[in-house]
């Protein structure tokens, strides 16, 4: 196996860059370097490592920042790091890898490829070697997001949250130095001058004010007509390098804004969401069934004076596609003063609109929003009418760091231009396939929002033209039948979802291999098969599914 899901398997290019850094700045026999996009994200890993290792080992852990080697003449001494790393002894690899996996803040392969080439060519150096005055109070600790409106001419008009920048606005806050460095390095191969405009277009699509299949030049000339929520604009949308990064940083922002309090994880979550809440901050109260009885227990705790930072939930959940009672959760949050964070990745914001009952909505843009499986991204959206909007808006304005690599932003924008049409086709195909499976006596359960007992809770948030999504899970009456079905099903196999091609995986075995009994206690059977439907012709996909069902039937007969 040469590669795998990026947060679990570090990309070969990033591994090569890590080895190159160790060979120059560390001990190749004992050290490992784990790579992050900014000093802030690297220092978060550094702090986590220090909290988990013996105190007398702390001096062996160090952070290195890398900056352009040559700075153009300018009045400003500002310089931005393009890459940071944490160097540590190899025996602590499993600890450092937790930060990479759970936080989603690791460098992307495109950033890694760029930095590897720049480092080898002498264009990227360790910060202390750069000919800049890093002691200056103007030294930039990391790029901040430009929040004004944009125009395709290259002039960004300052809005209420942003300042004006001039042409080639790659990352305006990075300063002229970093923008020129990127342009000189690979500007001839990629239209990096469009990167900032690409981010604006992506944020507008997420806000709901831009959904047409248009080119970028047209996209930025579109006017706002109807957002997902009245008063919502792209300035309330924040981009991250992965979906997990958006969840991790939403939690960090809440801790920053409201102080250290326990969180609530409601419903069976994607594995890393629960780990984030457990490992960072004071801990987590976990309600793995997402039931009304668990909400009763929560209400009792709240009435007795327990206080919580926020409740994190998925709508619908993964892999059982169960919808939580978001209306009741919202009522409890207003009465007892806690925030609500909803992960809408599986439902996606064209099918459902959960923002009115949440303070922050997070999503993985890696999935159906992109579809092409060649770029990662995430988003966090603030509800402008939420009870914590002012507090969160102030916190994000102050603390948010734009670490989405410019080249990744361009690919994300290009991929997402037709996401409306793709979602509609996938919705229709998935309804057809799940109906076919539900009618089969070979199938024990079909987990899909349309058929789940929680359907009414899903319907309360389904948009007028929305569907039930492209993800579902099935279980069989025997493990042998499940194996036969999975093996014969002629679709690509892998642990993602929302791809433009149909993808299947033995989800529980992949996500919870070391905790199968624990997962089973929440109704997640170990031999469950999860399927993410793509853009194939429905008749073709029906034929493949029927072949797999025939294989399962043959096993039953024997």
């Amino acid at each position: 196996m040469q590669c795998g899901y990026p947060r679990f398997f570090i990309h070969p290019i990033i591994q090569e860059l890590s080895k190159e850094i160790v060979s120059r700045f560390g001990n190749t026999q004992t050290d490992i370097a784990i790579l992050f996009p900014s000093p802030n994200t690297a220092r978060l890993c550094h702090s986590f490592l220090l909290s988990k290792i013996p105190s007398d080992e702390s001096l062996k852990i160090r952070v290195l920042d890398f900056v352009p080697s040559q700075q153009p003449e300018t009045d400003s001494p500002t310089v931005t790091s393009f890459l940071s790393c944490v160097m540590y002894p190899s025996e602590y690899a499993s600890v450092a890898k937790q930060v990479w996996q759970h936080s989603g803040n690791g460098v992307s392969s495109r950033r890694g490829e760029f930095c590897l080439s720049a480092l080898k060519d002498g264009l990227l150096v360790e910060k202390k070697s750069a000919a800049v005055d890093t002691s200056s109070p103007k030294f930039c600790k990391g790029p901040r997001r430009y929040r004004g409106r944009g125009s395709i001419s290259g002039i960004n008009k300052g809005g209420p949250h942003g300042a004006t920048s001039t042409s080639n606005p790659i990352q305006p806050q990075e300063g002229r130095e970093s923008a020129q460095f990127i342009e000189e390095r690979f500007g001839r191969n990629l239209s990096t001058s469009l990167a900032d405009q690409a981010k604006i277009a992506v944020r507008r699509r997420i806000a709901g004010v831009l959904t047409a299949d248009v080119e970028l030049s047209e996209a930025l000339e579109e006017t706002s007509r109807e957002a997902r929520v009245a008063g919502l604009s792209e300035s309330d949308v924040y981009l991250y390098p992965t979906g997990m990064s958006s969840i991790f940083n939403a939690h960090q922002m809440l801790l920053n804004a409201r102080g250290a309090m326990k969180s609530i994880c409601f419903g069976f979550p994607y594995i890393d969401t629960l780990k984030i809440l457990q490992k960072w901050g004071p801990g987590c109260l976990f309600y793995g069934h997402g039931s009304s009885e668990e909400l009763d227990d929560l209400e009792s705790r709240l009435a007795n004076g327990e206080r919580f930072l926020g409740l994190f939930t998925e709508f619908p959940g993964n892999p059982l596609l169960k919808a939580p009672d978001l209306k009741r959760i919202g009522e409890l949050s207003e009465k007892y003063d806690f925030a609500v964070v909803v992960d809408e990745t599986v439902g996606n914001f064209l099918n459902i609109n959960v923002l009115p009952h949440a303070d922050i909505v997070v999503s993985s843009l890696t999935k159906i929003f992109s579809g092409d499986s060649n770029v990662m991204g995430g988003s966090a959206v603030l509800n402008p009418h939420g009870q914590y909007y002012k507090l969160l808006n102030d916190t994000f304005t102050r603390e948010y760091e734009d670490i989405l690599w410019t080249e990744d932003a361009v690919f994300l924008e290009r991929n997402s231009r037709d996401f409306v049409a793709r979602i509609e086709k996938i919705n229709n195909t998935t309804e057809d396939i799940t109906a076919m499976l539900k009618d089969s006596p070979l199938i024990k359960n079909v987990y899909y929002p349309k058929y789940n007992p929680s359907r009414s809770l899903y319907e309360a948030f389904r948009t007028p033209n929305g569907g039930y999504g492209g993800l579902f899970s099935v279980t069989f009456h025997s493990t042998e039948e499940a194996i036969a079905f999975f093996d014969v099903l002629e679709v690509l196999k892998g642990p993602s979802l929302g791809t433009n091609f149909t993808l299947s995986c033995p989800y529980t075995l992949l996500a919870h291999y070391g905790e199968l009994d624990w997962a089973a206690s929440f109704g997640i059977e170990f031999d469950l098969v999860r399927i993410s439907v793509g853009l194939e012709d429905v008749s073709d996909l029906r034929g493949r599914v029927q072949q797999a069902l025939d294989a399962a039937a043959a096993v039953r007969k024997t």
Side-chain angles (χ1 to χ4, degrees):
M1 186 172 182
Q2 299 300 311
C3 203
Y5 200 76
R7 285 189 303 100
F8 293 84
F9 188 106
I10 297 178
H11 193 282
I13 288 176
I14 299 171
Q15 293 184 48
E16 184 181 350
L17 175 57
S18 174
K19 291 176 181 177
E20 182 71 22
I21 289 172
V22 171
S23 71
R24 292 169 182 250
F25 304 100
N27 185 325
T28 57
Q29 301 301 312
T30 62
D31 289 344
I32 295 178
I34 191 165
L35 310 180
F36 293 93
S38 72
N40 290 340
T41 50
R43 281 160 180 75
L44 189 145
C45 178
H46 181 259
S47 298
F48 187 81
L49 271 167
L50 293 184
S51 71
K52 302 295 182 182
I53 67 172
S55 58
D56 59 355
E57 293 280 279
S58 61
L59 293 179
K60 296 180 181 180
I61 316 294
R62 55 198 177 103
V63 178
L64 290 76
D65 302 318
F66 295 90
V67 297
S69 59
Q70 297 178 356
Q71 301 298 314
E73 291 184 8
T74 175
D75 294 333
S76 170
T78 299
V79 61
T80 297
S81 295
F82 278 82
L83 178 73
S84 294
C85 81
V86 180
M87 192 92 70
Y88 58 89
S90 58
E91 58 262 35
Y92 302 127
S94 62
V95 180
K97 184 68 181 299
Q98 292 177 50
V99 182
W100 177 278
Q101 176 183 328
H102 300 326
S103 75
N105 285 337
V107 298
S108 73
S109 56
R110 288 191 180 89
R111 185 191 289 261
E113 184 177 37
F114 168 77
C115 290
L116 177 61
S117 177
L119 185 66
K120 287 182 175 179
D121 291 347
L123 297 174
L124 204 61
V125 296
E126 189 185 0
K127 188 176 73 174
K128 66 181 182 182
S129 303
V132 294
D133 179 14
T134 58
S135 64
S136 166
K138 293 183 179 180
F139 182 79
C140 181
K141 71 174 182 178
R144 300 289 169 175
R145 189 186 79 186
Y146 168 74
R147 300 189 64 188
R149 306 298 195 257
S151 70
I152 197 64
S153 65
I155 304 297
N156 285 323
K157 301 173 183 178
H161 302 290
T164 300
S165 68
T166 55
S167 61
N168 289 342
I170 306 305
Q171 291 284 0
Q173 281 71 21
E174 291 182 3
R176 178 171 171 262
E177 299 90 342
S178 57
Q180 182 168 329
F181 181 71
I182 293 176
E183 284 289 349
E184 290 175 349
R185 187 69 192 130
F186 60 58
R188 289 175 296 178
N189 300 321
L190 176 73
S191 183
T192 53
S193 62
L194 295 181
D196 190 60
Q197 288 97 327
K199 291 183 180 182
I200 293 171
V202 168
R203 285 160 45 211
R204 288 186 181 178
R205 287 192 183 119
I206 294 167
V209 300
L210 173 66
T211 55
D213 180 3
V214 295
E215 295 294 322
L216 182 55
S217 57
E218 298 176 73
L220 293 179
E221 293 171 0
E222 288 282 317
T223 57
S224 173
R225 292 190 180 133
E226 183 179 356
R228 296 162 70 181
V229 170
L232 178 69
S233 74
E234 71 265 23
S235 65
D236 297 312
V237 180
Y238 296 83
L239 300 181
Y240 290 95
T242 65
M244 197 50 57
S245 177
S246 67
I247 296 172
F248 180 87
N249 283 286
H251 183 236
Q252 291 288 304
M253 292 293 184
L254 280 170
L255 288 170
N256 189 298
R258 303 198 63 222
M261 289 183 279
K262 277 188 176 183
S263 297
I264 304 158
C265 185
F266 189 77
F268 194 83
Y270 182 66
I271 180 172
D272 292 307
T273 299
L274 181 58
K275 303 301 184 186
I276 286 169
L277 302 181
Q278 291 173 335
K279 295 181 181 182
W280 280 269
C284 170
L285 175 63
F286 178 44
Y287 290 116
H289 295 283
S291 63
S292 58
E293 291 79 12
E294 288 175 328
L295 276 182
D296 291 340
D297 182 78
L298 174 60
E299 186 168 14
S300 176
R301 289 171 178 265
L302 293 165
N304 288 328
E306 289 190 49
R307 297 189 67 229
F308 296 94
L309 178 73
L311 182 147
F312 289 70
T313 191
E314 298 175 5
F315 196 101
N318 178 12
L320 299 185
L321 287 302
K322 183 178 181 180
D325 189 346
L326 202 53
K327 286 187 177 179
R328 186 178 173 192
I329 289 170
E331 291 167 357
L332 291 175
S333 73
E334 291 184 4
K335 183 176 180 179
Y336 293 105
D337 190 28
F338 61 86
V340 177
V341 181
V342 181
D343 183 349
E344 68 176 5
T345 299
V346 173
N348 85 65
F349 58 82
L350 285 186
N351 288 327
I352 57 172
N353 186 12
V354 296
L355 189 58
H357 288 264
D359 294 286
I360 306 174
V361 169
V362 295
S363 188
S364 172
L365 306 181
T366 309
K367 309 302 191 297
I368 190 65
F369 188 79
S370 169
D372 273 349
S373 306
N374 62 359
V375 68
M376 300 186 76
S379 64
V381 183
L382 304 185
N383 178 2
H385 306 294
Q387 61 177 327
Y388 297 108
Y389 179 70
K390 185 179 186 309
L391 178 63
L392 289 172
N393 185 57
D394 290 346
T395 304
F396 271 80
T397 299
R398 183 178 66 251
E399 301 295 333
Y400 173 77
E401 184 177 31
D402 185 352
I403 54 175
L404 177 63
W405 182 238
T406 55
E407 196 179 1
D408 291 328
V410 171
F411 276 83
L412 192 60
E413 189 280 321
R414 288 173 180 171
N415 291 353
S416 63
R417 290 175 187 171
D418 64 346
F419 83 112
V420 175
R422 286 188 285 108
I423 288 171
E424 290 176 351
K425 178 174 175 57
I426 287 171
N427 282 344
N428 293 334
T429 300
T430 309
E431 283 199 56
D432 187 293
I433 298 299
T434 53
M436 171 185 177
L437 289 167
K438 191 167 177 59
D439 288 341
S440 171
L442 293 164
I443 300 297
K444 180 180 176 182
N445 283 304
V446 175
Y447 297 100
Y448 189 55
K450 185 174 181 179
Y451 302 118
N452 282 356
S454 63
R455 176 174 175 173
S456 62
L457 300 176
Y458 183 93
E459 294 287 357
F461 294 91
R462 187 158 68 97
T463 58
N465 296 315
Y468 300 95
L471 189 73
F472 67 91
S473 299
V474 291
T475 55
F476 294 80
H477 296 285
S478 73
T479 299
E480 291 74 20
E481 291 170 32
I483 292 172
F485 176 88
F486 179 80
D487 286 349
V488 173
L489 183 61
E490 291 187 3
V491 300
L492 292 173
K493 310 294 173 69
S496 191
L497 61 96
T499 49
N500 289 340
F501 46 85
T502 297
L503 194 61
S504 178
C505 72
Y507 180 82
T508 316
L509 288 174
L510 290 180
H512 303 285
Y513 183 77
E515 49 189 18
L516 294 177
D517 290 341
W518 174 80
S521 71
F522 296 103
I524 316 294
E525 298 181 33
F526 84 95
D527 52 3
L528 171 148
V529 177
R530 195 189 71 176
I531 298 173
S532 172
V533 173
L535 297 175
E536 297 91 347
D537 182 80
V538 64
S539 61
D540 174 49
L541 194 55
R542 283 179 67 92
R544 299 183 190 202
V545 171
Q546 187 59 57
Q547 264 190 322
L549 287 173
D550 291 344
V555 169
R556 174 175 288 192
K557 289 177 183 178
T558 59

